[in-house]
Structure formats: structure tokens, C-alpha cells
Amino acid sequence: MYGQIEQMINDEYFNNTIEILKDLVKIPSVSCNEKRLARYIGDYLKKIGAKVIFQKISDNSENVIASIDGSEGGHNIILAGHLDTVSPLDGWDKNPFDPHEDPDRIYGLGSSDMKAGIAIAITLAEIFARNKENFKGNIKLIFVADEEGYSTGIKKLIKEIGIDADIIYMIEPHYYNAVIGAAGKMLIKVNAKGKASHAAHPEKGVNAIEETSSLISNLDKVRRVTHEKIQSQPFVTFNIKGGYDSYSVTVPDNCEAIVNKHTVPGESTEFILKQLQELKSDLGLKSEFDFNIIEPFYPPYAIDENSKYLCELQKAYKEVLGYELGLEYETGVSDSNCIVGLTGITTINFGPSGGPIHSPNEWVSKKQIYNVLKVYAKIICKLMY
């Protein structure tokens, strides 16, 4: 079956994928403004026979969920991605929403991260929708909003609709190494309540700004948890503010800081908050400190390296490219953290890449798009026929 599908990719569907990608780039979809792109994709998938639903995230933002159903007894595969991009920065040589190409590159905002992955998933859905004879199982496509911000789309999808799959292939721009685990992330709001006094007699008060500064300057003393695959992660202070808006000769009795902590498996919210309370006590700070976890929150994860779905990806990759696919554990976060952490479904990030992501003149490799198409086609043929 794969030989027939490969010929279709060579004859028609690779070029179709490039055209779809260009259409996707032309539709601006900065985070929280993905509705127009979602509708374009949903309408396209309806035309090829997919079942499609839209999930409202906000007035200007939607998720798209589609399925191609075969007969019973096969695997339940999800091809996934995010609809949104970051905002365009100054420095583009050409209009970031006007895709242009050279022999092996498609330029445009979101071309690599990750509209090329979406175009591949759409093409695969079209190929297999037209080759459903003897097709067993189900292919679902989920394209979600707000991955670049708070992962609102995937979290709302999991909460309100749910996700059921044997495997999720997230077609993110990781081409030479498949991402099979990642650090998590928690944001901690630190609130300190000191004691006001006249600044001429600071010993009578408790300076909340100074005590918060002492706390955050000693965060490197907190013991870090280690993990065999994901390196230990530090605390990073994002901002600090306190005191009074207008001039006052008063010892400030309030201060707030936002602290970021990437986490590894084993670092729970309870564990981190306990460590911060212990640090406050060890330093002998007199202010009352409250530590609260705020959004966005992402649990860390690591999938089983012996997963049969990872093995199928590795086999197909070697057959197409002729060399081994590497494995990687990320220190950054993505929707995959939410999926694995909230549902337990094995999720693997693999797709075409390019550069420079989140920067002017972003591009994606056409050769990598072609190879990724063939890799996923091989996997689906192996699992579904």
C-alpha cells in the first residue's frame, strides 16, 4: 500500500502540501486570533470527507477537530498541531504574510512553527480519506489555539471534549531529533507583607522589598531535583515590584515578585512551595510570605522510549532518510506537556524544521516537508492497513 501512497505524494500531494502551506501563511493567526485560519482548515477538511467540529475558545479563536474513520479494529492515531503564531517582529525582508520561496525554502510567519506541520496533516488526511478501502482504525486531526501563550486551546479541548488516542504525533519543527519528553513550567507569584514604619526608623518596620530581594537572590540555594533524561532546572525571577506609587518616607510593607520554575519529573507544586517556605525560614525573614501557582502551568513529562509508536517512527524515518532518528528531551514547554500530563497519552514531537523560529524571515525546508510526509505515510500504512 505504501508504494501506491508514495507515488501519489511524488505525483501530486507534495506540491499540494506546499500550496496549502502558502495558503496557511497568508492567513494571519497570531495567538488568540486563530478563528479565520481554523475555518479555512475546517472547510477544507469537510470537502475531503472528514467529520469536522469547531470548538470556541473566544470570539476570535477556535480549535478544529476532524476525523477520518475506517473500519473497526485498527489504531486510533492523532496528528496534532497549533494554529497560532507569535506576533511578527520588525526586520522582515518581505511581508511575513506573503509566502515566498527559493529552491528549498518557504518563507513566512509560522512557516516552520508550525504551519508546515498542519499542511502535512491536512495532506495525509486527504490521501487516506481517498484510500479508505481496507483502512482500519481512525485518524484524527486536532489543531488548537494559543499554544504560544497559555495553551488555552489544548487545555479547553481536554476539559470539555476530551482526547482519546493510542498515539499523538505532534508535527512540531523537530526533524533530526524527535522530542519524547520535556521539562515542565510553573509560575509562582510571591507576595510579601512586611511592616510599615517611618524611614527615619527602619528598625521599627519590616521592609518587604528588601526581604523579597533577599529571598529571590538566594533561590540558587534551593536543592534542585535531578532526572536521568532532563537536566535540573533553575528558578528565574521575571519581575519584582513593591512599595508606594507616590513618594513616601515610609518603609514599604508590600512587595510582589513573579518567579518562573521549570521542573523535572518529581518536582510537584507541593514540593516547590515547601522548598520556598523552608528557604524563607532558613533566611530568617520576618515578612509574611504567600506563594501561589498561577497560569500558565505545564507538567513535566517523559514517554516510554520502548513505545511501539516511537519504534514505528524510528523505523520509518530510517527507511526514508537512511539514518537514525535522534531522541531529545526539551527544556522548553509545549502543548505536549499538557497532553501527556493531563491525559497520559503518548505524544511525540516530529516534523519539518527550518529557521529562525520566532524571528524575522522564518522559513521551512521543502525537502524536510517531503520527507516528513513520507515518514508519516509509512507509519499510517503500517498501522492502518
Side-chain angles (χ1 to χ4, degrees):
M1 184 67 191
Y2 173 71
Q4 176 184 341
I5 299 296
E6 182 181 35
Q7 192 60 51
M8 294 170 65
I9 292 172
N10 293 339
D11 290 345
E12 177 183 2
Y13 281 100
F14 170 64
N15 289 331
N16 285 358
T17 305
I18 299 300
E19 294 307 310
I20 292 170
L21 170 58
K22 291 178 181 179
D23 286 344
L24 300 181
V25 170
K26 291 175 185 177
I27 303 173
S29 58
V30 173
S31 294
C32 302
N33 291 278
E34 305 92 343
K35 183 175 180 178
R36 183 179 162 207
L37 181 64
R39 290 288 164 164
Y40 169 87
I41 292 170
D43 291 344
Y44 189 104
L45 293 171
K46 286 179 182 178
K47 290 177 183 178
I48 66 170
K51 299 176 183 177
V52 177
I53 62 172
F54 299 97
Q55 182 186 23
K56 181 178 178 179
I57 304 302
S58 68
D59 288 344
N60 297 314
S61 186
E62 290 182 336
N63 291 337
V64 185
I65 305 98
S67 63
I68 305 294
D69 299 323
S71 60
E72 295 183 0
H75 298 266
N76 188 351
I77 297 175
I78 288 180
L79 305 176
H82 62 86
L83 298 165
D84 61 323
T85 71
V86 296
S87 297
L89 301 175
D90 292 336
W92 279 84
D93 293 339
K94 296 184 179 181
N95 184 342
F97 302 110
D98 183 14
H100 56 286
E101 62 184 293
D102 64 19
D104 186 49
R105 295 183 179 184
I106 302 291
Y107 291 87
L109 181 62
S111 56
S112 180
D113 185 23
M114 57 168 288
K115 292 185 176 181
I118 294 175
I120 286 170
I122 292 170
T123 295
L124 291 167
E126 186 167 4
I127 290 172
F128 289 100
R130 295 178 177 178
N131 291 272
K132 289 179 65 174
E133 186 177 355
N134 300 320
F135 182 84
K136 296 180 179 179
N138 177 280
I139 297 176
K140 288 183 180 177
L141 284 72
I142 58 172
F143 303 129
V144 298
D146 190 40
E147 191 269 355
E148 301 289 4
Y150 291 81
S151 287
T152 308
I154 192 65
K155 290 176 181 177
K156 194 167 185 178
L157 174 61
I158 292 169
K159 181 179 179 180
E160 295 184 357
I161 296 177
I163 300 177
D164 178 27
D166 298 314
I167 176 65
I168 297 177
Y169 290 112
M170 186 75 69
I171 316 181
E172 284 267 18
H174 298 280
Y175 181 73
Y176 297 103
N177 299 294
V179 174
I180 60 171
K185 171 189 175 74
M186 62 177 71
L187 274 183
I188 306 156
K189 179 181 281 190
V190 180
N191 286 293
K193 181 65 177 176
K195 181 181 178 182
S197 69
H198 196 288
H201 301 284
E203 73 281 357
K204 295 182 180 181
V206 177
N207 192 314
I209 294 177
E210 293 178 0
E211 293 223 314
T212 303
S213 298
S214 177
L215 181 88
I216 64 179
S217 65
N218 282 281
L219 288 172
D220 60 343
K221 295 181 179 179
V222 174
R223 180 179 64 87
R224 297 188 197 175
V225 172
T226 59
H227 184 265
E228 61 178 349
K229 299 293 186 180
I230 306 172
Q231 66 190 50
S232 61
Q233 301 292 308
F235 290 90
V236 179
T237 303
F238 282 173
N239 63 52
I240 180 171
K241 58 182 179 180
Y244 311 104
D245 292 335
S246 58
Y247 174 72
S248 175
V249 189
T250 305
V251 170
D253 65 352
N254 65 90
C255 188
E256 177 186 292
I258 302 296
V259 177
N260 183 78
K261 177 67 172 79
H262 279 200
T263 58
V264 302
E267 285 185 307
S268 65
T269 55
E270 293 79 12
F271 176 82
I272 296 297
L273 295 180
K274 180 180 178 182
Q275 285 186 310
L276 292 175
Q277 289 289 358
E278 290 176 351
L279 177 63
K280 180 256 184 186
S281 297
D282 292 344
L283 294 173
L285 302 179
K286 298 177 182 179
S287 294
E288 296 179 7
F289 279 87
D290 288 324
F291 304 103
N292 297 288
I293 305 300
I294 61 175
E295 288 291 336
F297 173 81
Y298 297 82
Y301 77 98
I303 72 164
D304 182 1
E305 290 192 11
N306 295 313
S307 163
K308 67 179 180 180
Y309 298 104
L310 176 58
C311 291
E312 291 298 339
L313 172 60
Q314 291 172 304
K315 290 176 185 176
Y317 185 92
K318 187 171 184 180
E319 289 172 3
V320 172
L321 278 81
Y323 52 88
E324 300 289 343
L325 173 65
L327 301 179
E328 183 177 356
Y329 293 82
E330 282 271 283
T331 55
V333 298
S334 71
D335 282 347
S336 296
N337 290 74
C338 302
I339 294 170
V340 180
L342 297 175
T343 72
I345 299 171
T346 297
T347 304
I348 302 168
N349 289 16
F350 167 72
S353 62
I357 293 172
H358 290 196
S359 300
N361 302 318
E362 178 182 355
W363 60 272
V364 66
S365 165
K366 292 191 287 186
K367 182 178 180 180
Q368 290 187 18
I369 292 173
Y370 175 70
N371 287 337
V372 171
L373 260 175
K374 293 204 296 182
V375 168
Y376 278 121
K378 266 186 175 290
I379 294 170
I380 295 171
C381 285
K382 176 69 178 297
L383 296 174
M384 314 296 270
Y385 287 97

